Amino acid sequence: MIDRLCDQAGEKDVAVVGLYCDFLSQQEQSTTSMLGAILKQLVSRGEIPEHIRKAFQKAKKEFGGRGLRLPDIVEVMKRTITALPRVFICIDALDESTPKYRRELLESLREIVRVSTNTRLFLTGRPHVGDEIRKCFCKVVRIPVSPTRDDIRSYLEMRLDSDTDPDVMDDELRADIMRVIPEKIGEM
Amino acid sequence: MAQMSSEHPQFTASIGSFNKNSFNNIVNFNTERELEGRQILQWLSPLEPQQRHQGVRINRFDGIGNWVLETNEFRKWSGAEDGCVSPVLFCDGNPGVGKTYLR
């Protein structure tokens, strides 16, 4: 999705940024570090905005060079994002973040989208996080994803063509695989 | 960051008449600013989602799941220039259906 949006953006001044939630990194992926990762991508495209530089210099002087707190980072993001003409934020596997961080992340994004009408969010996750997303945003476009028969066939063909042991394959077995697997998946 | 250092030669050429001392000050100022820039990015977040993205890109099979990008829902969401459509597009599905690998 990120690559497609980048292609589509082409020459236009469009920022596409992304984040992958990971069950195994739940501890590091706090709300502030996730929002920070998005912000980092937005500002690393060009000169770092002066208001961020100033916030950093101020934080450095404070005890232990402290990091941004959640309300601060939301304010910084709002200020940064409203200065950009168009932004796509893609977040994968929302269900893999902890419920607490996920709620904070969605609420922060809602605030950000409210001030910047040219910002779009692309979210993926298991169906159950849909309710949480709909609670946060009044209008949500939903596309349920499941592989089509064509997707399964193309995938099987690619895998069979790249088989490292092609001698054990014959036309009959190949035809069986191509027939039975899409059928069985269709029944699931 | 790359932009800044590539502009640097022209910048320094234009101040060639300065004495050596102020030249050094300007170089120091630029490298310090670059260094601070890197520190700021690290301060904003230790996470590096671009690394995961490279992995996804390598393992993706082209063409699979492209139907999502042809839907009216996707086109409207990505194409509209103002706030009249929903800002949020949610693709849901069970584990392993390929949500991460949508191009």
Side-chain angles (χ1 to χ4, degrees):
Chain A
M1 186 57 74
I2 293 173
D3 289 341
R4 168 65 176 241
L5 290 169
C6 286
D7 291 351
Q8 204 167 301
E11 300 280 293
K12 285 181 270 174
D13 197 4
V14 176
V16 184
V17 296
L19 180 69
Y20 294 87
C21 300
D22 187 348
F23 185 73
L24 297 172
S25 315
Q26 275 186 344
Q27 285 315 308
E28 302 99 88
Q29 293 186 331
S30 66
T31 318
T32 44
S33 76
M34 289 193 284
L35 287 172
I38 294 169
L39 185 57
K40 188 156 88 164
Q41 293 171 68
L42 289 174
V43 301
S44 61
R45 305 163 72 233
E47 266 293 303
I48 292 174
E50 211 47 43
H51 66 97
I52 296 181
R53 218 172 255 279
K54 288 219 172 81
F56 171 73
Q57 285 158 355
K58 187 166 168 272
K60 223 165 81 168
K61 287 187 203 128
E62 288 169 20
F63 180 69
R66 71 172 191 196
L68 284 167
R69 292 173 318 121
L70 183 56
D72 302 333
I73 206 160
V74 172
E75 283 311 309
V76 173
M77 271 194 88
K78 281 191 201 166
R79 201 165 158 186
T80 309
I81 226 163
T82 45
L84 298 168
R86 194 149 171 75
V87 178
F88 286 95
I89 301 174
C90 307
I91 304 176
D92 184 52
L94 268 174
D95 54 277
E96 296 198 30
S97 62
T98 69
K100 176 178 177 278
Y101 290 154
R102 184 164 62 238
R103 203 190 63 233
E104 287 175 352
L105 180 67
L106 289 172
E107 283 170 358
S108 308
L109 291 170
R110 176 177 58 189
E111 270 193 62
I112 290 158
V113 170
R114 199 179 281 153
V115 297
S116 166
T117 50
N118 281 329
T119 296
R120 296 276 178 276
L121 299 179
F122 172 72
L123 310 172
T124 78
R126 298 187 194 178
H128 70 87
V129 293
D131 291 336
E132 292 172 41
I133 295 170
R134 278 182 288 272
K135 244 181 239 168
C136 240
F137 300 93
C138 52
K139 283 188 290 181
V140 177
V141 184
R142 172 179 173 242
I143 305 179
V145 178
S146 63
T148 61
R149 289 237 167 155
D150 283 344
D151 284 341
I152 294 161
R153 280 195 203 102
S154 341
Y155 178 74
L156 286 174
E157 265 164 15
M158 276 188 268
R159 287 298 294 269
L160 290 172
D161 290 343
S162 57
D163 193 356
T164 48
D165 200 1
D167 293 343
V168 297
M169 182 61 64
D170 60 43
D171 289 349
E172 207 179 322
L173 178 57
R174 192 183 167 107
D176 273 353
I177 290 172
M178 293 300 295
R179 183 178 54 81
V180 174
I181 294 180
E183 242 171 48
K184 290 286 170 204
I185 292 175
E187 287 165 13
M188 276 161 72
Chain B
M1 220 57 80
Q3 239 177 0
M4 252 173 90
S5 48
S6 67
E7 280 166 10
H8 195 213
Q10 293 147 3
F11 179 52
T12 50
S14 70
I15 49 130
S17 58
F18 278 49
N19 66 38
K20 197 166 178 285
N21 201 18
S22 60
F23 172 78
N24 279 343
N25 282 343
I26 289 165
V27 170
N28 283 343
F29 174 74
N30 267 351
T31 44
E32 267 169 35
R33 216 175 145 77
E34 275 184 36
L35 180 69
E36 188 185 67
R38 280 194 293 271
Q39 286 173 343
I40 290 172
L41 296 181
Q42 183 61 32
W43 171 68
L44 288 175
S45 178
L47 305 178
E48 300 284 349
Q50 298 92 327
Q51 289 175 1
R52 174 82 201 276
H53 183 61
Q54 289 309 322
V56 168
R57 183 183 274 163
I58 289 162
N59 291 320
R60 186 173 57 211
F61 287 94
D62 282 339
I64 292 177
N66 278 8
W67 59 268
V68 171
L69 310 169
E70 308 303 328
T71 56
N72 280 334
E73 286 91 342
F74 174 78
R75 285 188 189 168
K76 266 195 202 157
W77 169 83
S78 68
E81 291 283 336
D82 52 39
C84 70
V85 294
S86 166
V88 187
L89 176 66
F90 175 51
C91 279
D92 64 342
N94 289 321
V97 295
K99 301 183 290 297
T100 301
Y101 290 90
L102 293 171
R103 184 183 210 275

